[in-house]
Structure formats: structure tokens, C-alpha cells
Amino acid sequence: MCVRLYDVIIIGGGVVGSAIARELARYRLSIAVMEKNPDIVCETSGRNSGVVHGGFAYDPGTLKAKLCVEGNQGMDALAKELGFRFLRCGKVLVGRTQEEYESLQRTMAQGAVNGATGLSLIGRDELRRICPEAVGEFAMYSSTSGVLDPFGYTVAIAENAAANGVRYHLCHQVTGLSRRDGLWHVQTTKGAYAARYVVNAAGLGCGVISDMLGITGYRVIGSKGDYIILDKHTGPLLPMPIYPVPSNTYMGIHVTNTTDGNVIVGPNAEMTEDFAYYGVPQRNIDYLAESASQIWPHIHKQDYIRNYSGILPKWVDENGVIQDFKIEMKPEIAPNAVNLVGIESPGLTAAVPIGRMVARMLRECEAFEENEAFNPVRRPIVRFAELTDEERADLIARNPDYGEIVCRCEQVTRAEILQAIHNPLGVQTVSGVKLRTRAMMGRCQGGYCQMRIAQMMEEELGLPPQALISSREGAYLFEGEMRKGGGCA
Amino acid sequence: MRTIRHDAVIIGGGPAGLAAAAELDRLGVHDVLVIEREKQPGGILRQCIHEGFGLARYGEALSGPEYAQRLIDELTSRGMKVMTDTTVLSLSQDRALTVVSREGIARIEAGAVILAMGCRERTRGALAIPGERPAGVYTAGVAQAYMNLYNRMIGRRAVILGSGDIGMIMARRLTLEGAQVEGVYEIMDTPSGLPRNISQCLDDYGIPLNLSHTITEIHGGARVTGVTVSAVDAQLKPVPGTQRYIPCDTVILSVGLIPENELSLEAGIALDPRTRGALVDEHLQTGCPGVFAAGNVLHVHDLADDASLEAEAAARSAAAYLRGELPCCGVSVVCGAGVRYALPQRVSGGQDVPLALRVSRAMGPCSIVLRQAGREIGRKRVIRALPAEMIHVTLKADQIGGCEEIEVSAE
């Protein structure tokens, strides 16, 4: 039987797997990413707060601390290179009691050891000045913290990897790994592949894949957090994320501004063994609002536009204590494999440094030839909503599809939606279009535009109506046509 | 950028916008521009293929598209056109609009503006319905568009949350297309839609209406697999122990309409938190001079006739404004006991004014009472008052004395 052979197969196409793929694409290698979902931001990479962390919250000497600081420092250049939205807006951790003040002093000191810059303890007046609506007597201000668009960021890294030759296999869940004749044989739900090297970047699936590699014994638990998204009316009231004083293990429920002007509230943290359940219970919605209202008093039900949840894969020891990122090679058990376990927060911030670290580890096994054709620059979809009227006029003159507004809430045009439908990764889901354009993400949640987008997808991709899915396999939108060949839209 | 000037610009080509345009022309204002973002005028009427429209205006029961066509035909016969495929990006206090279409960006200066943008549906996210987020949860209007305009069958077994009119109409529609509708669940103890729809869309098809019930969880990782419904108490909180699981593949939400006032807000036009539409005087003029509002963008109507008749009133005011003949309105109208909202919020006292209002809860035989400074200046007896049914009362000019506020209450 003939199987497709690659130099490297990366299991998991989230932000970490894609960052690894992009770093490896700097060398002359054939690289594939196996992604079990129909898109790359279906799990942890797309379900989080979108905060770029300063690196002060982690124990000194850990990979979390080191890679987070490195990721934070490189974010401006990366955002420019890849064209995703990033705001270095800073953030505050607000407190009221003496105990909290002392805790923030310890966090400051830890941050200094970690190399996190831009940290200061500020009083009430300064807090009022930089973040007027925050409630607290004092705060720790981290000027280097920020927020990014987690969808745009992950997609940008992946698309740049793909543009540099990385092959994305979507809907390919890895079901088995075996080593024969000096190669890794990778069984997936869509066929068999082989590779000289494999990388486990499976996120929530890291424990399962680690076991398949033969590196057993890791205990990975999920920490599920729920969120509420608020209307853009609330955006001007929140210039930067507001956090409570963190405990040892958990950042606390915070309010976060997004790069698009919304506010998100959350997350709580519940341990879970079910890595596929993203339901949000009523009690958590109420708890999030109540808890976060203590640090920011503008959470009102009339501004809710959506809720969501995400799960972080946490590697814990036998006592349940959360461990550092594990990024390892175990040649005696699993030669030519890099195993990543427990890549949770700050994985979003640290993704590219993680990618560089994995590339370095593989280069220690073998001297890869430089890929001179590697182009680190990616052009994003030009967004009508962000342009001046003059720029808009120019763009429409060149491409009239930019003159047709499809999503009214977020002002997304037909041109942008067409580019997202024909995205470089070949993602064919409705939410794929949503995450790439913001269409259907506004206050009407697609009430106006989803019909037209569904119709465009059917036409552009030649899909029958029953083949259209929202985000997961089985998430069909339609039973089919009601009447053969009918319709008047 | 091109700059164009028109005497009157109407934003929205639904029943309100089209009716306003024809009325302006009738009154001698011929330089009228109607801007519509869709490919065809007609607005939401286009997807309302059920009949029952036009009883007041035309004296017959028309379907939505037929009703829209009457309005369009009238404009055509007057030589008027609707600018379709064009979206208004911004509106300013001095009535300058920025619009975009495939032809480019243009600036339009208007002598008067009539806001007729209609409304949008309240969504699942706005209600924060707990549970997973599978495919198969549709607002009633989206379901209606998919079925009636796009020829898409959206599901086989549906549960309907909310007893809004479109939800009940979709319950019937789904049943006629062979789907099983498990029931309508309404959190309040009274239906939010019209009695005629309960009778014609639910009772006639054996679809149960469950009052004081709501969906407390949506199930399904990919597509909807079911919902949990619970009874609620007087505070609308789910009653423990009443949960019931209903297998279904589709959830239809008919839980309220919200006037679409994003443009108005950006223009700095003050809204009434009760209606979520603009604050208007008896001329339906907003706080911004020369900008009028009518139809569902002002407050959500029960009938397209009411929306289009209101828009004609706004058109008459706009014509008077263009002639410089609009008196100012100094008397406030406020809501008293039992009244959810009353429109307009300001009157001049110079002419009789039709007030539109909704009660905040269902009442049997009662009176709508108008008082100024404690003195009764009007009363209308009704045999019943439902939040779902708009009530009209005339405020008589000769009864108004002075500029103290007028209070409207239901007793």
C-alpha cells in the first residue's frame, strides 16, 4: 500500500501546532498538519480570553514564564508580519485589601525575576486615570500586556505556514501511531500517512497522543471556563483587561476588551474530564456576571450577545498540582518525536517561541537545510470596516464586491466573505467564514446575513444544502431543499 | 466622493419606508430617495407568505409579498424608484448620509430624513439560554427566510421558544412542510403574540402552547439533539423538579424584536429605553430636527398596516418641516401605572394626537386614562388590554392646558 510520506507530521493544527509548522517551514522539509476538526480554531486556540500575557504570573524558571515573556516581546513584530489584530493596551490587576496588596508585591517580584517588564504598583488615582471604570483601591499595572484576536492570530500563523508549503489535512483525527522501518506510521480517520518525525501538538488530545507515542503516564485534566460576550456599546468603557488579584492556580474571573471593541467576561474554572462538552450552565452565567461586576460595574443582561466556553489541557501530578508545559524528546521510547503536554495558558502568547523551541530540538537531531524561499509575511483579508471612506472608494473601484455590505453589524462586505470562503486552508464551515471575517459575530448574530452567506458558500463551493455545516462534523444547517429547484432569494 | 442632494431621504424600503415615500409624493415632495440595502424593496414582507396583511389599508387580506407589491406598484405609478443594494453607513445631525453600493461611496444631503430601518430579532445569546451551542437554533425570522425565500428545509422536529407572532406562524409553516412541532414554550403567563395567531397557527394544528415555561438547556454537540424545558414561578425562575427533556433537532426562537437603531445612535438621536426607538414628538420628529422615525424602528408594531400608516404620518410631518411649518412640542407624555410605553413622548397641544401605547401586563375590562397635573383629560374604556395588542387613544388638543406633563395609565 502506498502511503503519503512527509518529513514531519504535526498532530494538531491549533495555534501551537501551526506555530511549530511555520517555524519548520523555514527549512526544506515536507510538513503536514493533521487536524481532527474541520477548522483549526475549534478548540482551545479559539476558546479563550485572547489576552497576551506579561509573564509575571508563572513560577520563575518554568517554560511558561520563559516562553510567555519571549512571546510577549515578539508580538508587535509578529502582528505586523502576519497581519492580525493585536493591541498592546496593558492590563490591571485590581485589589482592595492589605493581603491583596502584599500578593501583588509578590507577583511584581516574581515578574521581575521572569524578565517581565513594564510592571508597576499604582494607587487609586493612577488607576482612575488609566482605567477609569475599574473598581479597586490599588492595582498592579502591566503595560506590556495586551489583547489579540485569537482567531485571526491562529489563522494567520496557519495560513502563512500553508503559504510556505505546509499541508493541512482537516478532519483527520489521528487514531494510531506506530514505528516501523525507521518511520512513524500515522493512522487517521481519513487514511494512513508516514513521517520521519512526528510532533504531538494535540492540545486537549495531548495525553492520548502521548500514549500513542508510547510516552505514558501523563495525567491531563481539562479546566473548563465559560464566558459572556458583551455588545460593542460597552467597549469604550474598558480600555484594558481588568483582573482580580490571582490565586496560585487561577487567574480569576476578569473582563477583557477585544481587538474588535467588544467586552468578554470570564472565565470561571471547572475541572472536567469531558473534552468535547462546551455547554454553559445558567448558574455559571449568573456567577460570571456577579463576580466580574465587583471589578467592573457595567455588566448588564441587555448587552449580552453570546456565551461560549473553552477548555485548557492541564498536566497535573498525582496530587492534582498543575505542572509546567512539558516539551520533550524521549529517543529511548519514541525516537524522532517531540511530545508537548499540558500546553495551556499562556500557550496563546507563547506559541511562536514554543514553535522555535520545537524546531531547535528537531534540528539537534538533524541539520535541516534552510528554505530560502520562506516568506514570513502574510497579507490578511482587507477589512472594509477599518478603512477610511477614501480608502473604501478606491477599493470598491478596483473590486465592486467591496461595495456590497453583507453583514450589517460588523460591516463585512461580499469581497471579504468570498476571500474567507476560498481560504488557503480549504476550511468549508460557516463558522470558518465567521472567524475569518467577523460576519455573523455582531449583535444580531447572523440574523440578517447568515442566509446570504450560506447561499454564497453553496454556490462558491458547489456544496449541496445538506452538506453545509456550522463548525463541527454533524452540525448540519439544512435537511435539504424544500422543493426541487425552488427559492426566490 | 460624489455628493447628492435630495429633499427627503428615507432609510429602509419596507412597508414603512415605501408608504412614506408615496405619501411625500402625494403631498408634492417629489425629490424623494428611498434607500434599501437588499436587492428588492419590500423588507420583511417579502418572506411573510402567509395572508392577513392589509385589512385596514386595503380592506382585504393579502400576503406579505402582495402587500409589498401594492406599495411598490404605487411608487412605480408615481415614477418613483427605490435605490436598492445600497447600505447607509452613517447619518449625521445635519442630515448628511454616507452610503455604499457596488458603484462606490456617496454622500447624500437631505432636507428631511425618515428613519424606517425596521427591527431585528432578539437572539439566543441575548437571552443567554444555557447549554451547548449546536447548529439548528434559529430565530423565527431566519427560519422564515430560509424556508420562504431560500427554499431550505431547516429541520424535522422543532421546539419553539417564545410566543411571538413569527414563531407561531413558523410553527404552522413547519407543520405544513411535514415537520413535527413539539410545542411552543412561553416564559410569561400571557402569550406575546396576537390571539388570531394562537387560534390560526397553534390551535388549528394541535400545537400545544405552554405558558410559564421556558427552555432551561439546549443539548447537542453538533446539531440540536433536544432541549430541557421547565416551568417557571412568578419571578420567572425555573421551578426545580419540573424539568422535562424533549428530543428535537431544531429550536426556533420568537422572543422579541428590537428596533434597529444603530444609525440613530451614531447620529446622536436620543432613544426611549422603553421602546428602544427614538424619542419623538407628535410629528414623529426625533430629537434631531428634520429627522423623523416611523414603523418598527420607532416601536414594534403588531401589523404592517399600523407601521405604514404611521410612516405616512411621518411623511406629512416631513413635508411640513420642508415647508417650515412644523410647530414645536413642549408637553411631555409619560407612562403611569400599568403602561409599558406610550408614543409620542412630546406633543404641542395644538392639535389632536393619536397616542399608541402598550400595557405592561394583561388586564380585563379597564380604562386608559390621560391626566395632566392630576386632572383627567381623556379616558378610553377597553374590554381587555394585552401587552401583545397595541392600544390607540386620541389625545384631544382642547383638553390640554398648560405645559405640565401628561400621564398615561391603565386602570
Side-chain angles (χ1 to χ4, degrees):
Chain A
M1 195 177 75
C2 183
V3 298
R4 180 80 199 263
L5 174 69
Y6 289 100
D7 290 319
V8 186
I9 285 179
I10 297 158
I11 302 165
V15 68
V16 171
S18 292
I20 294 168
R22 178 170 180 262
E23 290 308 314
L24 288 173
R26 295 175 190 271
Y27 306 94
R28 296 181 67 158
L29 297 168
S30 63
I31 303 161
V33 173
M34 299 295 164
E35 169 55 54
K36 72 175 176 191
N37 292 300
D39 196 356
I40 56 161
V41 278
C42 293
E43 297 183 4
T44 312
S45 304
R47 295 169 169 272
N48 51 62
S49 304
V51 171
V52 174
H53 292 291
F56 50 80
Y58 316 102
D59 289 339
T62 58
L63 283 176
K64 284 181 181 173
K66 175 176 174 283
L67 298 173
C68 179
V69 168
E70 201 181 318
N72 181 305
Q73 286 167 354
M75 203 55 83
D76 299 280
L78 190 70
K80 205 169 165 206
E81 198 167 68
L82 291 177
F84 61 86
R85 292 186 294 290
F86 164 56
L87 295 174
R88 198 177 282 283
C89 52
K91 83 171 183 185
V92 286
L93 281 60
V94 295
R96 287 172 231 213
T97 65
Q98 181 62 27
E99 204 182 338
E100 287 178 329
Y101 192 81
E102 285 161 14
S103 170
L104 288 180
Q105 283 179 317
R106 286 193 297 278
T107 305
M108 285 268 298
Q110 175 172 282
V113 176
N114 290 350
T117 55
L119 302 179
S120 54
L121 277 169
I122 60 174
R124 218 183 129 127
D125 292 346
E126 180 64 3
L127 178 60
R128 289 283 166 287
R129 196 184 66 77
I130 63 169
C131 192
E133 304 300 322
V135 179
E137 294 302 315
F138 51 83
M140 191 190 101
Y141 172 51
S142 161
S143 66
T144 61
S145 294
V147 294
L148 53 68
D149 162 21
F151 310 120
Y153 169 62
T154 306
V155 166
I157 294 172
E159 288 188 355
N160 185 241
N164 284 294
V166 173
R167 177 76 196 272
Y168 274 77
H169 294 285
L170 301 171
C171 302
H172 279 55
Q173 179 165 11
V174 172
T175 53
L177 289 168
S178 55
R179 195 148 170 89
R180 285 196 312 275
D181 312 323
L183 290 176
W184 282 103
H185 291 264
V186 180
Q187 279 81 49
T188 78
T189 46
K190 296 270 168 73
Y193 298 82
R196 298 197 297 122
Y197 296 93
V198 293
V199 178
N200 170 15
L204 288 166
C206 65
V208 175
I209 301 296
S210 186
D211 286 347
M212 286 184 195
L213 286 169
I215 309 175
T216 54
Y218 283 112
R219 190 172 161 222
V220 178
I221 57 166
S223 172
K224 176 170 172 290
D226 304 320
Y227 294 88
I228 307 167
I229 310 178
L230 304 183
D231 190 284
K232 282 185 171 179
H233 294 314
T234 58
L237 299 167
L238 188 68
M240 65 182 73
I242 306 171
Y243 282 61
V245 174
S247 71
N248 282 337
T249 52
Y250 167 50
M251 299 269 206
I253 293 169
H254 45 271
V255 286
T256 307
N257 51 315
T258 73
T259 53
D260 295 285
N262 295 87
V263 169
I264 48 185
V265 181
N268 56 328
E270 284 177 350
M271 291 306 151
T272 177
E273 308 262 316
D274 184 347
F275 293 173
Y277 180 77
Y278 290 107
V280 181
Q282 182 70 54
R283 63 174 185 282
N284 291 7
I285 298 170
D286 297 341
Y287 174 65
L288 290 177
E290 195 187 308
S291 174
S293 292
Q294 293 168 20
I295 53 173
W296 189 70
H298 298 290
I299 301 167
H300 304 295
K301 196 172 175 191
Q302 76 212 39
D303 291 321
Y304 289 6
I305 62 173
R306 192 170 175 86
N307 39 48
Y308 69 100
S309 67
I311 305 172
L312 297 173
K314 296 197 185 249
W315 166 36
V316 295
D317 68 9
E318 59 276 14
N319 300 318
V321 177
I322 295 160
Q323 304 294 301
D324 193 14
F325 292 160
K326 174 58 83 177
I327 302 174
E328 65 181 356
M329 290 190 85
K330 293 232 168 179
E332 66 288 0
I333 307 173
N336 291 5
V338 184
N339 192 35
L340 288 82
V341 178
I343 311 298
E344 51 138 345
S345 181
L348 201 67
T349 310
V352 168
I354 292 172
R356 280 199 290 265
M357 182 174 166
V358 171
R360 252 191 331 268
M361 291 164 84
L362 289 175
R363 279 162 59 213
E364 280 167 20
C365 302
E366 186 179 332
F368 301 139
E369 229 179 295
E370 294 270 339
N371 172 12
E372 274 138 25
F374 180 82
N375 178 4
V377 177
R378 169 206 174 246
R379 301 249 168 269
I381 297 174
V382 174
R383 302 208 318 168
F384 177 88
E386 292 179 345
L387 303 178
T388 64
D389 283 344
E390 288 69 29
E391 291 168 327
R392 289 168 172 174
D394 279 353
L395 200 54
I396 297 166
R398 280 182 278 134
N399 179 1
D401 286 338
Y402 266 107
E404 205 178 312
I405 305 272
V406 176
C407 165
R408 62 180 174 197
C409 299
E410 300 292 313
Q411 286 189 351
V412 184
T413 62
R414 181 178 174 84
E416 292 154 80
I417 289 166
L418 286 172
Q419 290 171 71
I421 290 173
H422 298 292
N423 66 84
L425 301 180
V427 173
Q428 298 196 339
T429 64
V430 176
S431 70
V433 171
K434 172 176 169 172
L435 305 179
R436 283 162 180 76
T437 61
R438 288 195 59 78
M440 304 173 276
M441 269 197 192
R443 56 178 66 90
C444 92
Q445 291 283 294
Y448 176 65
C449 64
Q450 63 165 293
M451 297 76 89
R452 285 197 277 167
I453 292 169
Q455 186 182 40
M456 285 170 72
M457 290 185 72
E458 289 178 15
E459 285 170 5
E460 294 291 320
L461 300 171
L463 294 172
Q466 57 275 18
L468 208 56
I469 58 169
S470 70
S471 62
R472 292 198 203 179
E473 284 176 306
Y476 65 93
L477 264 66
F478 310 122
E479 297 277 338
E481 286 189 323
M482 288 202 315
R483 308 276 187 278
K484 207 166 169 53
C488 57
Chain B
M1 207 188 308
R2 291 176 298 148
T3 299
I4 316 157
R5 217 206 101 79
H6 291 283
D7 287 344
V9 171
I10 299 166
I11 307 176
L18 296 174
E23 182 72 3
L24 279 166
D25 192 64
R26 218 174 281 134
L27 295 169
V29 180
H30 304 301
D31 178 21
V32 179
L33 176 69
V34 183
I35 304 173
E36 167 56 45
R37 62 189 176 198
E38 301 236 26
K39 294 201 181 323
Q40 293 111 20
I44 217 70
L45 289 170
R46 295 178 53 241
Q47 66 189 56
C48 298
I49 62 172
H50 54 281
E51 56 110 72
F53 296 88
L55 290 168
R57 174 179 280 275
Y58 300 112
E60 53 184 310
L62 305 171
S63 72
E66 286 170 336
Y67 189 98
Q69 197 58 48
R70 295 260 176 125
L71 294 170
I72 294 164
D73 288 347
E74 176 161 12
L75 291 200
T76 309
S77 71
R78 293 177 173 279
M80 302 172 80
K81 270 196 193 133
V82 177
M83 182 192 261
T84 55
D85 289 308
T86 304
T87 302
V88 178
L89 296 174
S90 69
L91 168 68
S92 72
Q93 288 270 326
D94 54 356
R95 300 181 304 281
L97 299 88
T98 314
V99 304
V100 62
S101 71
R102 296 182 70 88
E103 273 75 60
I105 303 249
R107 185 183 147 88
I108 298 173
E109 293 170 355
V113 171
I114 298 177
L115 306 175
M117 291 92 81
C119 56
R120 65 170 185 269
E121 296 181 278
R122 186 169 282 124
T123 66
R124 176 188 174 178
L127 294 180
I129 304 171
E132 295 177 271
R133 291 189 320 189
V137 180
Y138 297 104
T139 56
V142 168
Q144 188 178 45
Y146 274 136
M147 292 182 73
N148 294 350
L149 295 177
Y150 290 82
N151 189 32
R152 294 289 172 264
M153 190 59 188
I154 53 166
R156 289 285 158 208
R157 196 168 180 186
V159 166
I160 305 205
L161 178 66
S163 56
D165 291 309
I166 318 167
M168 293 195 278
I169 286 159
M170 288 315 293
R172 175 175 66 185
R173 185 83 182 97
L174 279 158
T175 306
L176 290 171
E177 290 299 328
Q180 173 73 29
V181 177
E182 299 294 333
V184 175
Y185 294 84
E186 167 60 56
I187 193 166
M188 307 302 287
D189 57 8
T190 42
S192 67
L194 295 171
R196 78 166 189 210
N197 283 327
I198 298 171
S199 145
Q200 293 172 12
C201 299
L202 303 185
D203 296 350
D204 287 358
Y205 295 85
I207 297 168
L209 169 61
N210 303 274
L211 297 173
S212 298
H213 276 74
T214 193
I215 293 180
T216 45
E217 191 171 353
I218 294 177
H219 306 273
R223 174 82 188 195
V224 175
T225 53
V227 293
T228 301
V229 298
S230 303
V232 298
D233 61 20
Q235 281 71 49
L236 309 181
K237 295 281 175 212
V239 179
T242 60
Q243 301 95 321
R244 192 156 59 84
Y245 179 82
I246 304 173
C248 60
D249 58 27
T250 304
V251 178
I252 305 281
L253 305 178
S254 185
V255 289
L257 301 170
I258 301 166
E260 182 88 319
N261 273 298
E262 307 318 320
L263 274 176
S264 328
L265 281 170
E266 274 180 49
I269 292 169
L271 303 188
D272 181 345
R274 290 166 178 267
T275 56
R276 297 185 75 164
L279 285 163
V280 291
D281 62 21
E282 69 188 32
H283 315 296
L284 302 174
Q285 183 173 226
T286 68
C288 181
V291 178
F292 302 82
N296 278 358
V297 78
L298 181 57
H299 58 138
V300 176
H301 293 71
D302 306 333
L303 305 170
D305 277 342
D306 289 346
S308 63
L309 292 169
E310 184 175 86
E312 287 173 350
R316 289 192 288 274
S317 301
Y321 174 84
L322 289 170
R323 295 191 305 265
E325 293 171 4
L326 213 54
C328 67
C329 296
V331 183
S332 295
V333 176
V334 299
C335 300
V339 173
R340 195 168 93 208
Y341 76 75
L343 268 177
Q345 293 91 346
R346 273 172 295 127
V347 297
S348 65
Q351 60 175 5
D352 291 357
V353 177
L355 291 182
L357 62 102
R358 284 184 195 273
V359 293
S360 35
R361 62 188 170 81
M363 296 169 86
C366 59
S367 293
I368 305 301
V369 185
L370 309 175
R371 284 195 185 84
Q372 189 177 29
R375 181 174 63 90
E376 185 172 315
I377 58 167
R379 176 179 285 264
K380 177 179 185 175
R381 287 191 177 76
V382 290
I383 51 162
R384 68 168 183 204
L386 297 175
E389 289 180 312
M390 195 183 288
I391 297 170
H392 299 274
V393 191
T394 303
L395 177 57
K396 297 270 190 211
D398 56 14
Q399 296 292 317
I400 301 176
C403 351
E404 286 93 356
E405 62 184 33
I406 295 165
E407 189 185 69
V408 186
S409 52
E411 298 169 1

